[in-house]
Amino acid sequence: SRGVKQSGELVITAPSASDYHFEYTECDVLGSRWRVAVPNKADTCTGLPDPVKGTQCTFSCSEGEFLNMQSQQCQKCAVGTYSLGTGEAFDEWDSLPSGFVTHGLPTNGGDAHTDCSNSTWTPKGDYVASNTDECTATLSYAVSLKKPGTVSFEYFYPDNSIYFEFYVQNDQCQSTDTESRWMKISESNFSKYRVELNSGNNVLYWRTTAYTLQGSAVKPVLLRNIAISGVAYTSECFHCKPGTYSAKAGSARCTPCPAETYSNKGATVCHQCEQDKYSVAGSGSCKLRPACTNSDYFYTHTPCDSEGKTQLMYKWIEPKICSEIVEGAVMLPASGEKQTCPPCNPGFFVTNSSTCEPCDNGFYSNGTACTKCPSGTEPVMGLEYKWWNMMPSNMKSSIFHREFGESEHTWEVAGEYVYTTPGDQDTDYLMLMLNVPGYRLPQSMAKDSERSELSRITFVFETTCTADCKFYFLAGYNQWNNDVVEQWKGSNRKQSYSYLIQSNSTASFTWTFQRTEELNRKYSADAAKIFSIHITNVIGGVASQCRRCALSSAKVDSACVPCPPGHYMVSETGVCKSCPPNTFIRADQPVGEAACVQCGPNTRRNKAHTACLSDCALDVQTKGGALLHYDFSPLSNVTGFHSSPRFTSKGLRYFNRFNLGLCGKEGRVPATCVDNVTESRREVKGYICQSTVVPSDIRSQSMVSTQPFIIGDALIGVTTDTTLGSISSPKWLFPSASGLPDVIFYYKSSETTQACKQGRSATVRLRCNPTVTAEDHITLPSNCSEGTCDGCTFHFLWQSQHACPLCTKNHFREIVSACIQGIQRTTYVWQQPLQCYGGESLPAQKVSACVTLDFWLKFGVSTGTIAAVLLISISCYFWKKTRKLQYKYSKLMMSSEGRECELPTADSCAIMEGEDAEDDLMDLTKKSFFTKIKSFSRERTSDGFDSVPLKSSSRGIKG
């Protein structure tokens, strides 16, 4: 109480309404509460209104109302103010509203010493913008809900190089489900998001992290119009912010002021700007108009009239902010100059009203008149724009302002090209978007859809810049969900670029031009021009030519009968000729003998004659003449591996993930790399592909894969040579001390880029290592840790036991043991160092009978004894024989002593004859050796001489 002393008395006066305010107590278990007065000043202690029973805890006011605590009744907000009833709204971001907290921290896996103190969410007036560097920026807000409610907000999230998640943590510290916290790429300028909230304490988190892998600028995430419902009540209405107004009581929101008007805070009406000032929509003040320059207008052409003429028109850039009456201002050039209309685009024809209409099905045109395709041909469907008299119906232009949002008319037609008009700021993104309904292969190529080219977009452009401008080409499934395919910096001469379309979901293409990163208006004359755009195999497209096909004798409903597989068409006659053996047909050149391409070493063409395959088997002749057999089929499954950790400029970690399908027969599963950041899930398939993998702690999911591209979609050959065609795999990349040659698989991709004008290529070097049991022991060159030194040619080393030649008999040798107890063992062992695997198994140990040394010794002694006895016996026999002959000779000499020089012929003959007969008799009776000896002993006389019987002569001897 406050006392005033009057005439010696202390008079007590009641506090005024400004000295206190009303609040509700906490709700009890019955849902009741009390209204109490809370003093605003510390010395106000007495005289406050007594507590009274308050409204029920579930009581709430409607939108546009507030709770008058004095009467405890809901009242409408006055004009110039607004309220959400039971909610809070945050649509003013001149500064961070009370209760919001933002801070930046190094991302997990990044450099802990990185300074992220300035990496926060920044208020920008109508919205709050996220960081664009490689720190994690978090924006949080804590709110206590008296009953279940909601949180809603609008966000603009156009760039998948930045990861954006929103989640809620309740009073039990439980967070939102992992899958639902990841935000989708915006499908329009601003997307709306709404989440249910439970009663009690809730902490809301918005978190972003950028990955500037390509060194390009990252578009920030924009957040605005955050509204939270579920608070018990609001005891006051909020004033409309400058640039908005509310003209009637009970408004839930304020209305932005239109362009050329402004308003102050709490306005009920917008005021018109003065003549020499201007404002954009939602402005709280007007700005002085600058003098008009040549950069404030652009030129375009009117549609062709009935005379085939078009008018050159000059127009101010809208909204027009410059002044023509200021000193030094330029005037808008006079419009209306008539020019001859350019021809229609291919596939269209000129009608009587000089407009261009598409030709009917089965017809083609060069832009003048439609002609029916001749028999045996089919129209080549597509879209081709090379004359720009008016913007095609499936193309539109827009601009993304970092400050003001989106507007139209940033690319204009100019007859021979379409170009970028000057913008409000040099930092604006000037976008030209083309939508395509889909793609379909021509009937002659539909049977070979696996290898045929689905579609290709080719465009011719140039950029003229005095600053550091950038020109982007993006592809995706809608204008807000696409990926940067290629980018160019600075001025670029007139050139052509081609991009292979591999997915039918790729239905949107965007060309974006930015003059500079600096916020100014100095380089409005910098521009980009597109001269022509050509897309093949478009559904609903038009034909500029007809493809000649080979005619078949059988009549079919098809308008085109293709050549049989493995045949090419002679362009002059349409006759089909067979390609040489083991060649395939080039998809981009089905006519002429040049379409036949020879398969590389150790590859065979497929059944469709469209590519060469390896069946994972290989025979190699070594320099020594040996034949090595390889079987790589255990390595044929798709194998994934990644490079060592890579780090961005801020130390943020990521990996390069490779998927490899080495070889295989027809119908093999190709290697696939996907982009799982966006809903498009763009896929690329081939032999080798690469994607960028971000650690899972960014998105709280298993793996984030982005920016996939093909390294090799065609197998060129398999050989031990270090060079094949234009691709080489130098030995110094992977030094080896082994004498066994490495087997090298060569791959190539037909997809070209600005950096790789000849396309990418890859070599996979298979090296025998019997000690490696892992199936994915793949390494990258030590001096090129990303697998490539130039960004176009990739090299890999795959060490495996399955990379060894199959074992044969030449790879093992035998060891024969000594004879032990009549057993001899033969053992087989591998030749060292072992350089084979699989194939023939090592033979089992062999066991055989044998004879020991002591047996041979006994056998030799016995045999020697017998031989000695036999030798002695034979010696005795011959000795006896010799004695007998000596005796006969002596007897003969004695009988011839009386007659010198004359021998008794008859007696001599009789003796010799008798002896001979006796010898013959002995031989015929086959007496044994010992019997003969015995008989000899019996025939010996008493005088020691042998008795020799003499045969009588047939004639008498005369005395």
Side-chain angles (χ1 to χ4, degrees):
S1 61
R2 292 178 296 177
V4 179
K5 199 169 184 178
Q6 296 179 356
S7 304
E9 296 181 358
L10 184 63
V11 179
I12 304 299
T13 59
S16 64
S18 61
D19 293 334
Y20 61 89
H21 66 277
F22 291 109
E23 290 185 5
Y24 282 124
T25 62
E26 293 291 332
C27 295
D28 57 24
V29 293
L30 299 178
S32 301
R33 56 188 174 182
W34 292 82
R35 188 199 70 175
V36 297
V38 179
N40 295 328
K41 299 179 181 179
D43 58 352
T44 305
C45 300
T46 61
L48 297 174
D50 295 331
V52 297
K53 191 173 182 62
T55 59
Q56 288 293 316
C57 291
T58 57
F59 175 84
S60 62
C61 294
S62 302
E63 288 186 344
E65 297 179 343
F66 73 100
L67 180 62
N68 186 335
M69 295 293 288
Q70 184 72 37
S71 62
Q72 298 194 76
Q73 298 292 325
C74 293
Q75 293 183 4
K76 287 187 177 181
C77 291
V79 293
T81 63
Y82 73 98
S83 87
L84 296 177
T86 61
E88 299 175 342
F90 304 96
D91 51 10
E92 292 185 43
W93 297 93
D94 296 320
S95 61
L96 211 59
S98 176
F100 279 87
V101 178
T102 180
H103 60 275
L105 294 173
T107 304
N108 293 341
D111 187 357
H113 301 290
T114 302
D115 183 13
C116 294
S117 57
N118 294 325
S119 300
T120 58
W121 289 75
T122 307
K124 294 287 188 179
D126 290 337
Y127 54 81
V128 57
S130 73
N131 65 320
T132 56
D133 57 14
E134 294 163 354
C135 296
T136 298
T138 303
L139 178 68
S140 61
Y141 181 74
V143 62
S144 178
L145 301 186
K146 302 301 181 183
K147 62 180 182 178
T150 61
V151 56
S152 63
F153 57 88
E154 296 179 3
Y155 70 92
F156 181 55
Y157 175 29
D159 196 336
N160 59 13
S161 294
I162 190 168
Y163 302 119
F164 176 37
E165 61 179 337
F166 169 74
Y167 62 95
V168 181
Q169 196 173 69
N170 59 23
D171 48 11
Q172 282 83 37
C173 291
Q174 295 173 337
S175 297
T176 306
D177 180 40
T178 301
E179 294 299 325
S180 62
R181 63 199 292 172
W182 173 246
M183 304 301 292
K184 299 176 183 178
I185 296 290
S186 299
E187 295 185 0
S188 61
N189 195 2
F190 271 89
S191 301
K192 294 183 178 180
Y193 192 73
R194 179 186 177 95
V195 174
E196 300 289 335
L197 299 178
N198 297 325
S199 59
N201 295 322
N202 292 269
V203 184
L204 315 179
Y205 292 94
W206 295 266
R207 189 166 70 174
T208 58
T209 301
Y211 267 79
T212 55
L213 302 180
Q214 298 180 346
S216 59
V218 178
K219 297 178 183 178
V221 176
L222 309 183
L223 194 63
R224 73 180 185 185
N225 293 342
I226 300 176
I228 304 171
S229 67
V231 296
Y233 61 89
T234 177
S235 58
E236 61 177 334
C237 295
F238 302 99
H239 291 284
C240 292
K241 67 176 183 178
T244 64
Y245 71 99
S246 66
K248 62 181 182 177
S251 297
R253 278 175 175 69
C254 298
T255 306
C257 289
E260 307 300 335
T261 63
Y262 74 97
S263 70
N264 299 317
K265 186 175 182 178
T268 61
V269 67
C270 295
H271 305 285
Q272 191 72 29
C273 289
E274 299 176 9
Q275 186 67 26
D276 59 342
K277 294 183 179 181
Y278 75 98
S279 70
V280 296
S283 296
S285 61
C286 297
K287 298 180 181 179
L288 191 66
R289 294 183 182 274
C292 290
T293 65
N294 293 330
S295 299
D296 291 309
Y297 66 86
F298 63 94
Y299 59 93
T300 184
H301 291 76
T302 62
C304 292
D305 57 20
S306 58
E307 300 176 354
K309 298 291 185 180
T310 180
Q311 289 182 304
L312 181 63
M313 305 296 293
Y314 293 91
K315 298 181 180 180
W316 293 111
I317 295 174
E318 296 295 340
K320 181 174 178 286
I321 63 174
C322 67
S323 174
E324 303 172 62
I325 59 176
V326 178
E327 183 180 356
V330 299
M331 302 296 293
L332 188 69
S335 300
E337 178 187 350
K338 287 195 172 185
Q339 299 177 348
T340 303
C341 281
C344 292
N345 283 310
F348 291 80
F349 70 98
V350 182
T351 63
N352 294 333
S353 59
S354 296
T355 59
C356 294
E357 296 289 338
C359 293
D360 295 334
N361 290 336
F363 288 78
Y364 72 98
S365 148
N366 61 357
T368 54
C370 297
T371 306
K372 186 175 179 58
C373 288
S375 177
T377 63
E378 66 172 338
V380 181
M381 307 301 290
L383 293 175
E384 185 173 1
Y385 306 111
K386 63 179 183 179
W387 300 109
W388 304 90
N389 184 52
M390 59 184 300
M391 190 70 74
S393 59
N394 59 343
M395 296 182 71
K396 72 172 186 175
S397 64
S398 64
I399 182 172
F400 172 67
H401 301 276
R402 286 195 169 178
E403 300 296 328
F404 306 111
E406 186 180 2
S407 65
E408 300 292 333
H409 305 300
T410 58
W411 291 73
E412 284 293 335
V413 295
E416 296 183 352
Y417 54 84
V418 57
Y419 75 105
T420 55
T421 60
D424 292 330
Q425 295 291 338
D426 291 340
T427 56
D428 293 342
Y429 291 95
L430 312 179
M431 299 182 290
L432 177 66
M433 288 153 286
L434 167 65
N435 293 316
V436 179
Y439 314 94
R440 181 186 294 120
L441 287 171
Q443 197 165 2
S444 61
M445 302 169 63
K447 292 183 179 180
D448 186 29
S449 58
E450 182 180 349
R451 287 293 303 168
S452 297
E453 187 177 283
L454 177 62
S455 179
R456 182 185 294 268
I457 180 171
T458 304
F459 59 91
V460 178
F461 73 98
E462 75 173 2
T463 58
T464 305
C465 303
T466 55
D468 52 343
C469 67
K470 293 179 181 178
F471 184 59
Y472 303 90
F473 172 61
L474 304 92
Y477 72 90
N478 62 40
Q479 69 184 66
W480 297 109
N481 196 340
N482 45 32
D483 299 317
V484 175
V485 175
E486 194 63 74
Q487 62 174 312
W488 296 265
K489 297 181 180 180
S491 296
N492 291 272
R493 59 177 178 78
K494 188 176 181 180
Q495 58 186 278
S496 175
Y497 178 78
S498 182
Y499 172 67
L500 188 65
I501 302 168
Q502 296 181 322
S503 173
N504 221 336
S505 63
T506 306
S508 176
F509 304 95
T510 304
W511 292 266
T512 302
F513 181 70
Q514 184 190 34
R515 293 182 172 89
T516 182
E517 289 286 336
E518 299 178 7
L519 189 63
N520 53 41
R521 200 173 176 179
K522 300 179 181 178
Y523 307 106
S524 297
D526 292 359
K529 295 180 181 179
I530 297 178
F531 296 89
S532 65
I533 302 174
H534 183 206
I535 313 177
T536 62
N537 303 336
V538 177
I539 295 176
V542 293
S544 59
Q545 59 177 330
C546 293
R547 177 185 287 109
R548 186 174 182 84
C549 304
L551 298 178
S552 173
S553 58
K555 293 183 179 181
V556 292
D557 295 334
S558 169
C560 172
V561 180
C563 286
H567 291 68
Y568 66 93
M569 184 184 302
V570 180
S571 57
E572 293 82 4
T573 62
V575 176
C576 294
K577 286 190 176 182
S578 176
C579 282
N582 207 30
T583 59
F584 68 97
I585 303 294
R586 288 178 54 184
D588 58 345
Q589 192 175 356
V591 179
E593 190 173 2
C596 303
V597 180
Q598 185 69 37
C599 285
N602 298 302
T603 61
R604 294 179 178 86
R605 69 182 176 194
N606 61 357
K607 294 179 181 178
H609 297 257
T610 55
C612 296
L613 305 175
S614 169
D615 59 0
C616 303
L618 180 68
D619 293 335
V620 175
Q621 189 82 31
T622 63
K623 294 181 180 179
L627 185 62
L628 303 179
H629 304 277
Y630 290 87
D631 181 13
F632 303 121
S633 55
L635 306 177
S636 62
N637 294 331
V638 176
T639 304
F641 58 99
H642 55 76
S643 66
S644 56
R646 310 296 302 165
F647 296 91
T648 61
S649 58
K650 287 290 184 70
L652 209 55
R653 184 178 61 175
Y654 67 96
F655 300 90
N656 287 329
R657 173 80 178 182
F658 300 94
N659 285 334
L660 166 63
L662 184 69
C663 55
K665 299 180 180 179
E666 301 216 30
R668 66 180 183 85
V669 178
T672 304
C673 296
V674 301
D675 176 4
N676 64 4
V677 175
T678 62
E679 287 188 333
S680 66
R681 292 191 63 84
R682 186 168 67 92
E683 294 185 350
V684 295
K685 296 182 178 181
Y687 281 97
I688 308 178
C689 60
Q690 178 191 316
S691 59
T692 300
V693 177
V694 177
S696 59
D697 51 14
I698 299 300
R699 274 191 49 189
S700 302
Q701 70 176 41
S702 59
M703 185 179 71
V704 178
S705 176
T706 184
Q707 301 174 1
F709 62 85
I710 281 291
I711 297 176
D713 56 9
L715 178 61
I716 305 302
V718 184
T719 178
T720 57
D721 297 335
T722 57
T723 301
L724 182 61
S726 60
I727 311 172
S728 63
S729 176
K731 292 183 179 179
W732 56 263
L733 286 173
F734 303 103
S736 173
S738 172
L740 196 66
D742 294 335
V743 177
I744 307 174
F745 281 71
Y746 290 86
Y747 305 93
K748 191 168 182 61
S749 170
S750 58
E751 183 178 299
T752 60
T753 64
Q754 181 73 7
C756 305
K757 292 183 171 58
Q758 304 299 322
R760 299 182 180 93
S761 59
T763 64
V764 179
R765 183 181 285 264
L766 296 180
R767 178 167 297 170
C768 172
N769 191 339
T771 62
V772 176
T773 58
E775 299 292 343
D776 57 350
H777 188 67
I778 303 176
T779 55
L780 308 176
S782 58
N783 56 338
C784 304
S785 57
E786 293 189 5
T788 176
C789 299
D790 57 4
C792 299
T793 304
F794 292 76
H795 304 280
F796 309 98
L797 173 64
W798 195 343
Q799 298 184 69
S800 173
Q801 56 189 5
H802 299 296
C804 298
L806 300 177
C807 294
T808 63
K809 294 181 180 179
N810 298 327
H811 290 96
F812 55 82
R813 60 188 179 91
E814 62 179 22
I815 299 176
V816 181
S817 67
C819 185
I820 302 175
Q821 295 181 354
I823 298 176
Q824 190 174 48
R825 302 177 187 274
T826 303
T827 305
Y828 296 89
V829 296
W830 294 111
Q831 298 277 7
Q832 295 298 327
L834 181 61
Q835 292 184 330
C836 71
Y837 182 80
E840 292 193 23
S841 301
L842 199 65
Q845 187 182 63
K846 291 197 307 184
V847 178
S848 59
C850 62
V851 181
T852 58
L853 181 61
D854 57 346
F855 170 81
W856 287 111
L857 184 60
K858 294 176 181 179
F859 178 78
V861 172
S862 301
T863 304
T865 304
I866 296 173
V869 172
L870 184 60
L871 183 60
I872 293 173
S873 299
I874 293 174
S875 299
C876 292
Y877 169 76
F878 282 107
W879 179 76
K880 280 290 186 180
K881 192 77 172 175
T882 303
R883 291 292 304 274
K884 189 187 333 182
L885 292 175
Q886 286 179 352
Y887 171 75
K888 290 180 181 181
Y889 179 75
S890 299
K891 197 77 172 171
L892 183 61
M893 290 298 295
M894 290 176 62
S895 61
S896 60
E897 285 181 357
R899 295 179 298 271
E900 294 182 359
C901 300
E902 182 180 355
L903 291 174
T905 306
D907 292 343
S908 299
C909 292
I911 293 171
M912 295 302 296
E913 289 176 0
E915 191 65 30
D916 292 337
E918 183 180 358
D919 291 341
D920 294 340
L921 182 63
M922 293 175 62
D923 293 337
L924 291 173
T925 57
K926 297 183 179 179
K927 293 181 180 180
S928 66
F929 176 74
F930 296 102
T931 306
K932 291 179 181 181
I933 294 177
K934 189 175 180 181
S935 64
F936 287 151
S937 63
R938 283 199 306 266
E939 292 176 3
R940 186 180 297 272
T941 58
S942 60
D943 57 3
F945 293 94
D946 294 335
S947 62
V948 179
L950 299 175
K951 296 182 179 180
S952 60
S953 176
S954 58
R955 296 179 180 179
I957 300 177
K958 295 179 179 181

